[in-house]
């Protein structure tokens, strides 16, 4: 297990100052990049994810980017309520105003998690310091004025992040939440692709026991949310959709491990399998002693 990240005195000050307000809905691990849910050592009742075996909880978590959007986020929230599923909404502050305030209030009141998705959705990899301040810091301060507290999690637009933006986010106390599945729903919607093809593409990456699915409000809302409904219907028996806190829980996981990449997860599975083989295979000395005992 990797050593815990050491925070600077400034980061500790920021955490103590900013996050005492309001009621943020998740714990912060400043500077960490997370791609997946934690893998649980518990029996999973029902059908099993073939890649994870029958002793792992196949936890997954839904996330939605680019809201709040009038007439679209409403539908997403309605579907989630219908399926009794909690999600995380990564919000753009340029879309948060008095007209969309009721949507943000619904997210909070219905038990969803809120994260920052910058001010105007510019790619942080190609931005100078002015852009980073406008997209990250301005959004950070806006949330305080709008909600009374700042979120503890952040998703960079396009998944674009570099050393400068990463360091700034760490100083502000953010955990960076990426994804292991999805994030292509907008393309299938804009290209008017059939549901079966788009659902198959969205499921890709959920082979790992803990998946974080990236979706978009405007891509999941058409036709009264039929794409989101079908995605949930088709995957319901294989993955258990959980809230964000359960997704990244650190108290009941394999050595406190959250797999940051799918390759890391695969390596852990391979190491576990090799360990089981080594444990089950008797040593030559034990074999000789057993053979000698039988001869007597």
């Amino acid at each position: 297990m990797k050593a815990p990240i050491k925070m600077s005195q400034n980061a500790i000050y920021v955490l103590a100052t900013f996050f005492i307000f309001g009621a943020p809905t998740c714990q912060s691990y400043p500077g960490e990049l997370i791609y997946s849910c934690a893998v649980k050592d518990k029996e999973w009742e029902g059908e099993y994810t073939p890649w994870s075996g029958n002793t792992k909880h196949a936890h997954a978590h839904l996330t939605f980017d680019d809201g709040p959007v009038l007439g679209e986020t409403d539908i997403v929230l309605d579907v989630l309520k219908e399926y009794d599923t909690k999600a995380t909404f990564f919000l753009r502050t340029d879309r948060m105003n008095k007209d969309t305030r009721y949507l943000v209030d619904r997210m909070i009141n219905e038990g969803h998690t809120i994260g920052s998705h910058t001010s105007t959705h510019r790619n942080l990899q190609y931005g100078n310091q002015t852009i980073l301040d406008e997209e990250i810091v301005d959004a950070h301060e806006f949330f305080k004025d709008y909600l009374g507290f700042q979120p503890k999690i952040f998703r960079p637009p396009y998944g674009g992040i570099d050393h400068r933006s990463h360091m700034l986010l760490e100083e502000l106390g953010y955990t960076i939440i990426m994804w292991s599945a999805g994030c292509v729903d907008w393309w299938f919607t804009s290209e008017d692709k059939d549901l079966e093809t788009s659902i198959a593409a969205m499921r890709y990456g959920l082979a790992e026991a803990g998946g974080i699915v990236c979706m978009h409000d405007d891509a999941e809302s058409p036709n009264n949310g039929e794409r989101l409904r079908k995605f949930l219907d088709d995957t319901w028996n294989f993955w258990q959709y959980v809230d964000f806190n359960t997704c990244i829980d650190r108290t009941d996981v394999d050595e406190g491990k959250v797999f940051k990449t799918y390759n890391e997860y695969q390596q852990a599975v391979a190491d576990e399998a090799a360990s089981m083989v080594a444990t089950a295979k008797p040593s030559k000395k034990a074999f000789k002693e057993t053979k000698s005992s039988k001869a007597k």
Side-chain angles (χ1 to χ4, degrees):
M1 182 172 65
K2 295 179 181 178
I5 294 174
K6 294 181 179 179
M7 290 186 292
S8 66
Q9 289 297 320
N10 189 29
I12 295 173
Y13 172 78
V14 170
L15 283 172
T17 303
F18 288 142
F19 296 144
I20 58 176
F21 300 101
T25 53
C26 60
Q27 191 170 346
S28 180
Y29 303 91
E32 284 199 16
L33 279 79
I34 295 178
Y35 289 81
S36 74
C37 294
V39 177
K40 293 284 192 174
D41 259 337
K42 292 183 178 179
E43 291 292 335
W44 165 241
E45 298 177 359
E47 297 183 57
Y48 304 130
T49 311
W51 294 271
S52 65
N54 61 6
T55 59
K56 303 289 187 184
H57 257 313
H59 280 174
H61 182 63
L62 300 179
T63 63
F64 295 87
D65 293 1
D66 298 351
V69 183
L70 290 173
E72 295 178 351
T73 305
D74 314 61
I75 295 173
V76 171
L77 287 167
D78 289 344
V79 174
L80 293 175
K81 187 174 184 179
E82 178 183 333
Y83 282 77
D84 192 23
T85 298
K86 307 305 179 188
T88 294
F89 288 85
F90 289 99
L91 306 181
R92 290 173 46 170
T93 58
D94 64 338
R95 293 180 172 178
M96 298 170 66
N97 50 53
K98 61 181 179 63
D99 294 327
T100 57
R101 179 59 190 257
Y102 78 95
L103 292 170
V104 180
D105 288 342
R106 267 196 71 182
M107 294 171 192
I108 296 172
N109 294 335
E110 294 176 12
H112 303 293
T113 304
I114 288 177
S116 176
H117 199 42
T118 71
S119 296
T120 65
H121 206 267
R122 284 182 285 184
N123 194 324
L124 303 180
Q125 274 187 303
Y126 309 113
N128 56 28
Q129 190 58 48
T130 298
I131 290 178
L132 296 185
D133 287 342
E134 291 174 349
E135 293 296 324
I136 298 175
V137 179
D138 287 359
H140 183 75
E141 294 174 350
F142 179 91
F143 273 105
K144 176 61 172 59
D145 294 334
Y146 192 86
L147 293 177
F149 67 90
Q150 284 105 340
K152 294 185 177 183
I153 56 177
F154 181 96
R155 173 169 288 165
Y158 316 104
I161 191 169
D162 59 11
H163 178 70
R164 295 169 305 122
S165 53
H166 190 182
M167 291 296 292
L168 177 57
L169 289 165
E170 180 177 357
E171 287 296 303
L172 291 173
Y174 283 105
T175 302
I176 301 107
I177 307 299
M178 297 300 203
W179 60 90
S180 59
C183 216
V184 292
D185 53 351
W186 60 271
W187 185 85
F188 286 100
T189 300
S190 64
E191 296 295 321
D192 197 26
K193 298 294 182 181
D194 64 275
L195 284 178
E196 293 294 340
T197 302
S198 62
I199 298 304
M202 291 293 290
R203 284 181 60 170
Y204 184 76
L206 270 177
E208 80 178 90
I212 294 178
V213 187
C214 172
M215 295 181 168
H216 299 81
D217 297 28
D218 59 352
E220 298 300 326
S221 60
N223 300 319
N224 196 32
E226 67 171 348
R227 188 184 310 279
L228 178 56
R229 294 175 193 276
K230 180 166 178 56
F231 180 85
L232 289 171
D233 287 340
D234 286 0
T235 61
W236 200 261
N237 287 331
F238 296 93
W239 291 277
Q240 181 181 15
Y241 291 100
V242 296
D243 60 81
F244 182 78
N245 284 337
T246 303
C247 170
I248 66 164
D249 178 43
R250 301 302 178 89
T251 60
D252 186 22
V253 300
D254 297 343
E255 298 181 354
K257 188 70 172 177
V258 174
F259 296 111
K260 307 284 177 35
T261 67
Y262 184 52
N263 287 337
E264 184 181 345
Y265 166 77
Q266 287 182 312
Q267 185 60 53
V269 171
D271 291 345
E272 182 179 356
S275 175
M276 291 176 65
V277 171
T279 303
K281 186 177 180 180
S283 65
K284 290 183 179 180
K285 181 180 179 181
F287 178 76
K288 288 180 179 179
E289 289 177 352
T290 302
K291 187 175 181 181
S292 174
S293 175
K294 288 181 177 179
K296 292 178 181 179

